[in-house]
């Protein structure tokens, strides 16, 4: 099993009407959000489930077989549709999107442009220094850099948190990503947290995924509780 991730946002307002709401751009439908009748209760927190979709243009050369011409034709870009679950807790003002950060960013950006929808959100602000101190092992730290010709730096290894540059980035609240181990849901797991709003598990969730309908959501909530951002 590869890494599994979920995107999370702090939400001040998220008023979505019943039924399906299309996201359009230049009169072309590029996505949608649908409010479902399903609610979940996790850690005494209630979540409303939505279904989201977003079509992204991929800049990459591909060959596509044209039946009419009976030949392969080359294209420099193509469109790919992504479908994902969305979970919203009004009491904790949190929104979880079961998709990658780039898709979540584009989806939410287009969603908030729709007239009549009241949506206000921000990225979670992780205290990465405190989280690093909680980790038995910090394996990676990334941060922006002002060095000539370098926009960002990443350090990885078993003792990243003793590196001078990594320590300085954490102390000055300049770190953008951290990777390390934490005991979550009864098991030591290697996780990643980013200031862009991603919670990612490098460790398999199969030890409890068979019993949980949405294991990554369960994992994300447990992680936020573990690091003190949820109670």
């Amino acid at each position: 099993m590869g890494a599994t991730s979920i995107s999370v946002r702090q939400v001040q307002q998220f008023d979505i009407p019943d039924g399906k709401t299309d996201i359009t751009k230049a009169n072309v439908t590029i996505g949608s959000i649908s409010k479902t009748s399903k609610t979940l209760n996790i850690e005494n927190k209630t979540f409303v489930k939505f279904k989201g979709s977003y079509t992204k243009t991929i800049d990459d050369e591909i060959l596509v077989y044209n039946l009419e011409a009976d030949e392969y034709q080359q294209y420099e870009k193509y469109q790919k549709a992504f479908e994902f679950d969305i979970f919203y807790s009004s009491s904790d003002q949190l929104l979880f999107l079961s998709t990658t950060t780039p898709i979540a960013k584009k989806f939410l950006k287009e969603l908030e442009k729709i007239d009549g929808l009241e949506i206000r959100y921000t990225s979670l602000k992780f205290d990465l220094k405190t989280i690093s101190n909680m980790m038995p092992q910090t394996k990676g730290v990334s941060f922006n850099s002002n060095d000539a010709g370098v926009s960002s730096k990443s350090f990885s290894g078993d003792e990243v948190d003793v590196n001078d540059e990594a320590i300085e980035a954490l102390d000055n609240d300049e770190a953008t990503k951290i990777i390390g181990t934490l005991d979550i849901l009864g098991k030591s797991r290697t996780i990643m947290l980013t200031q862009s709003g991603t919670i990612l598990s490098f460790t398999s969730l199969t030890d409890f995924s068979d019993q949980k309908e949405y294991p990554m959501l369960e994992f994300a909530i447990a992680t936020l509780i573990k690091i003190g951002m949820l109670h």
Side-chain angles (χ1 to χ4, degrees):
M1 175 183 169
T4 305
S5 68
I6 197 167
S7 296
V8 58
R9 299 290 186 275
Q10 190 81 50
V11 179
Q12 293 75 45
Q13 195 169 10
F14 196 71
D15 295 332
I16 305 294
D18 293 336
K20 183 179 179 182
T21 300
D22 286 330
I23 302 172
T24 60
K25 192 172 186 178
N27 295 321
V28 176
T29 300
I30 60 171
S32 68
I33 184 169
S34 300
K35 186 176 182 179
T36 75
S37 59
K38 187 176 181 65
T39 60
L40 300 85
N41 190 278
I42 301 173
E43 299 287 351
N44 296 318
K45 304 174 189 306
T46 300
F47 292 86
V48 176
K49 181 185 174 184
F50 297 79
K51 294 294 292 184
S53 70
Y54 187 78
T55 300
K56 180 183 178 183
T57 299
I58 309 294
D59 291 317
D60 191 16
E61 290 186 357
I62 61 170
L63 288 174
V64 178
Y65 183 69
N66 186 320
L67 285 174
E68 293 183 0
D70 191 25
E71 65 179 10
Y72 283 94
Q73 296 178 345
Q74 183 171 303
Y75 294 86
E76 295 183 353
K77 60 179 62 177
Y78 61 95
Q79 291 188 320
K80 183 176 180 180
F82 296 85
E83 295 186 350
F84 44 91
D85 294 326
I86 302 169
F87 307 96
Y88 171 56
S89 169
S90 57
S91 58
D92 289 289
Q93 295 186 308
L94 287 177
L95 188 72
F96 294 86
L97 302 94
S98 299
T99 187
T100 62
T101 293
I103 295 299
K105 281 184 175 180
K106 291 179 179 294
F107 174 81
L108 290 173
K109 184 178 180 180
E110 295 298 334
L111 194 65
E112 64 181 338
K113 294 178 182 178
I114 298 176
D115 291 338
L117 293 191
E118 298 296 333
I119 299 173
R120 290 188 296 117
Y121 63 91
T122 56
S123 293
L124 284 183
K125 179 63 176 176
F126 293 116
D127 185 343
L128 296 184
K129 179 182 178 181
T130 298
I131 296 170
S132 177
N133 290 335
M134 293 173 61
M135 290 176 163
Q137 192 175 41
T138 301
K139 298 183 176 182
V141 175
S142 297
F143 51 93
N144 296 325
S145 173
N146 294 320
D147 290 358
V150 178
S151 59
S152 63
K153 289 185 179 182
S154 294
F155 289 94
S156 60
D158 292 336
E159 295 182 342
V160 167
D161 51 339
V162 300
N163 176 273
D164 289 341
E165 285 189 85
I167 291 173
E168 184 178 359
L170 290 168
D171 286 344
N172 295 335
D173 195 23
E174 295 172 346
T176 57
K177 178 176 70 178
I178 191 170
I179 299 173
T181 58
L182 277 177
D183 192 340
I184 300 169
L185 294 173
K187 182 177 179 179
S188 177
R189 304 179 196 272
T190 299
I191 70 168
M192 180 178 80
L193 301 172
T194 76
Q195 296 294 29
S196 59
T198 298
I199 298 175
L200 183 148
S201 174
F202 290 102
T203 304
S204 170
L205 305 181
T206 53
D207 56 306
F208 69 91
S209 60
D210 289 343
Q211 295 80 38
K212 303 295 183 181
E213 189 174 7
Y214 303 102
M216 193 59 211
L217 176 63
E218 299 261 1
F219 170 78
I221 293 169
T223 299
L224 293 177
I225 292 173
K226 179 72 176 183
I227 63 179
M229 294 191 72
L230 269 180
H231 302 282

